[in-house]
Amino acid sequence: MNNKILLNLKFFPIYFFPLSICLGSAVVNLMLICSTLIVIINFKKFFEYIKKNNFFIFLIFFFLYILVLSLGTKEILKGVGYLRYLFFFLLVYEFSLSKERLKYFYITLVILLLFLSVDIFFQRIFGSNIFGMKFSSSNMYSNRFSGFFGDELIAGSFLFKMSFILSFFFLLKKNKSINLLFSLILFLAILITGERMSFINYFVFLIALFYVSLRTKYFYILFSSIVLFFVLAINFDDNSRHRYNQILYEMGLSDHDYNISFNKDTITERLEVNSTPHLSLYKSSIIIIKEKPILGYGIKGFRDNCKAINQHSCSSHPHNYYFEIATSFGIIGLFIFISTLYFMLKNISNIKKSNKIAILIFFLLIINPLQTTGSIFSTITASMFWFNLGILIPHFKLNYEQSY
């Protein structure tokens, strides 16, 4: 009994992690510190995992590379501090090897996701959420609903990155009606948040999940219904119409009133460096990489050099993991990072059961180099990124055919 209590305490940072994201960076950092201490105390056991999986070698080398390049610079504390994500990943990895632990974790996570979704619906309908927090009324964010996350516009990202639990429930092949209802609730909540990248990622994941889990007839019915609902939403709901049609406007495929058009001159003009914010950041990243391609400029490399290149469109990070790593730690750092992901994929590529393909697709969406992202060196974004990788890989080794 005492051993079981100690074991649960050992994984307390993982059980509490989703809620810590909702409570803010300070609580997340506390969970990361606890994870670090737990792994150090039990390092012999974790060393066995490292010896059995070659991707751990590249993973450790990546973190050590960041540490070494940070030595002797003003970012040395950030370089040392980034090691906490390595220890966190190791603890998440061990946690995920047990179906029993995952079962209880997923139950609490479902409750949290449903509560956040209801809170977002409440905010959308009444203008403020359950706690009285209103959505931002500024011109830039007037179409964003974040629920109890408040000014942190990450509700959609959080819902998507925690939606991997759907694959777990569908793999169990139990209560499919409830699973479908839950997945559609998340779909609507993410749509309302206005976080376009998260919505696109979730849509792709959901289609993959339905395709491998449902009969062909039901799949086409659900697929058609989801597409129809989305089309109706962006045509009859002003908030959704403004937010999602903005993608077409930035590409030059619609006018200010979001009427579809295919004017060649307009498309060319909008794709200029100062017309699309993310494209501007990517182009600035390429220039910074060319200036110091091998080792990069350090953790704040993009922030420190962006304004010298483009004062009109700059940010604290390039909104893409790969560009951020390349500007910070050069081509060498990017190569080590990509090699780590490659060996992770190689470790999970032999999928015997077709229904596990949905988990693989979710993994690919998390590491997709074409998506816009938060900063991989920020507390919230980095912790969710390494959490996702740590919890997904063991899924391919678990047998879900056994009942609980």
Side-chain angles (χ1 to χ4, degrees):
M1 183 67 178
N2 290 333
N3 289 335
K4 191 171 184 179
I5 294 174
L6 288 173
L7 188 62
N8 288 330
L9 287 175
K10 174 183 176 180
F11 294 112
F12 173 76
I14 311 304
Y15 284 114
F16 194 72
F17 175 70
L19 183 59
S20 72
I21 295 291
C22 303
L23 296 176
S25 297
V27 184
V28 173
N29 276 316
L30 180 60
M31 294 302 103
L32 294 173
I33 292 171
C34 290
S35 301
T36 301
L37 295 174
I38 290 168
V39 173
I40 291 174
I41 292 171
N42 300 275
F43 186 73
K44 286 185 178 180
K45 185 172 183 178
F46 288 98
F47 187 68
E48 294 299 318
Y49 298 132
I50 295 172
K51 290 194 299 183
K52 293 177 182 178
N53 299 279
N54 54 9
F55 71 82
F56 274 117
I57 305 300
F58 285 89
L59 181 66
I60 293 171
F61 190 46
F62 174 70
F63 280 91
L64 291 179
Y65 179 78
I66 291 176
L67 175 62
V68 170
L69 262 64
S70 300
L71 295 176
T73 70
K74 62 181 181 179
E75 303 299 334
I76 183 172
L77 292 179
K78 285 187 174 292
V80 174
Y82 201 70
L83 287 173
R84 68 193 189 276
Y85 299 109
L86 171 61
F87 295 116
F88 180 60
F89 176 90
L90 287 168
L91 188 63
V92 174
Y93 182 86
E94 184 190 6
F95 173 85
S96 304
L97 292 172
S98 167
K99 289 191 298 179
E100 184 177 357
R101 288 194 293 264
L102 287 172
K103 180 180 70 171
Y104 293 114
F105 174 76
Y106 287 163
I107 291 172
T108 57
L109 184 55
V110 166
I111 295 172
L112 180 60
L113 294 182
L114 284 176
F115 183 77
L116 175 58
S117 298
V118 172
D119 199 43
I120 291 170
F121 298 154
F122 201 90
Q123 191 177 51
R124 175 64 185 87
I125 295 170
F126 299 105
S128 60
N129 74 340
I130 296 171
F131 303 103
M133 302 168 68
K134 296 182 179 180
F135 66 90
S136 176
S137 59
S138 65
N139 291 331
M140 187 174 184
Y141 298 124
S142 59
N143 305 99
R144 307 288 289 275
F145 298 87
S146 57
F148 54 65
F149 279 103
D151 294 333
E152 294 288 334
L153 302 176
I154 61 171
S157 176
F158 178 79
L159 288 172
F160 163 65
K161 290 177 180 178
M162 295 298 163
S163 68
F164 61 85
I165 59 171
L166 290 172
S167 59
F168 175 82
F169 290 122
F170 274 95
L171 285 171
L172 289 178
K173 300 179 179 178
K174 294 180 179 180
N175 302 318
K176 280 198 172 182
S177 298
I178 297 176
N179 296 338
L180 284 171
L181 178 61
F182 179 52
S183 63
L184 294 176
I185 288 173
L186 293 185
F187 174 85
L188 180 58
I190 296 174
L191 174 66
I192 291 173
T193 65
E195 293 183 43
R196 297 171 296 187
M197 196 70 248
S198 296
F199 176 77
I200 293 170
N201 282 335
Y202 183 75
F203 179 78
V204 173
F205 171 59
L206 197 62
I207 295 305
L209 193 60
F210 286 169
Y211 182 77
V212 299
S213 303
L214 303 175
R215 294 179 181 177
T216 305
K217 179 177 69 174
Y218 296 119
F219 166 74
Y220 285 117
I221 292 174
L222 275 170
F223 176 77
S224 302
S225 300
I226 289 174
V227 172
L228 177 62
F229 180 83
F230 176 68
V231 171
L232 291 173
I234 62 174
N235 278 280
F236 293 99
D237 180 74
D238 289 338
N239 286 318
S240 297
R241 186 167 185 258
H242 172 83
R243 185 64 187 163
Y244 291 96
N245 278 338
Q246 191 176 354
I247 301 174
L248 299 178
Y249 174 76
E250 290 179 355
M251 295 173 63
L253 299 177
S254 70
D255 56 25
H256 284 283
D257 296 319
Y258 302 119
N259 297 311
I260 304 298
S261 65
F262 295 95
N263 186 297
K264 183 178 178 181
D265 294 333
T266 304
I267 294 173
T268 303
E269 179 184 350
R270 298 270 175 77
L271 290 179
E272 289 295 324
V273 66
N274 290 325
S275 299
T276 55
H278 290 120
L279 182 60
S280 174
L281 295 176
Y282 300 158
K283 289 184 176 182
S284 296
S285 298
I286 293 172
I287 295 173
I288 294 172
I289 294 168
K290 287 180 178 179
E291 291 178 350
K292 201 171 182 181
I294 306 301
L295 299 178
Y297 282 96
I299 290 179
K300 293 184 179 179
F302 184 84
R303 178 189 300 180
D304 294 339
N305 293 274
C306 181
K307 288 186 178 180
I309 296 171
N310 188 342
Q311 294 183 352
H312 302 288
S313 181
C314 205
S315 178
S316 59
H317 61 92
H319 290 265
N320 180 278
Y321 297 144
Y322 298 85
F323 278 128
E324 186 171 20
I325 291 172
T327 55
S328 301
F329 299 104
I331 295 174
I332 295 177
L334 182 62
F335 173 77
I336 300 170
F337 179 71
I338 293 175
S339 297
T340 303
L341 299 179
Y342 168 77
F343 282 103
M344 284 182 177
L345 280 171
K346 191 175 180 181
N347 185 66
I348 65 178
S349 61
N350 296 322
I351 305 175
K352 296 180 180 179
K353 298 183 182 300
S354 60
N355 52 9
K356 289 188 178 181
I357 293 175
I359 304 177
L360 176 61
I361 290 176
F362 188 89
F363 183 91
L364 293 173
L365 290 171
I366 291 296
I367 66 172
N368 175 19
L370 302 179
Q371 67 180 325
T372 55
T373 68
S375 171
I376 199 169
F377 299 115
S378 68
T379 300
I380 299 294
T381 301
S383 59
M384 284 201 289
F385 177 80
W386 295 111
F387 173 81
N388 278 139
L389 297 191
I391 209 165
L392 286 173
I393 295 173
H395 272 65
F396 294 91
K397 299 179 179 180
L398 297 176
N399 179 13
Y400 289 93
E401 298 302 318
Q402 300 174 3
S403 60
Y404 287 100

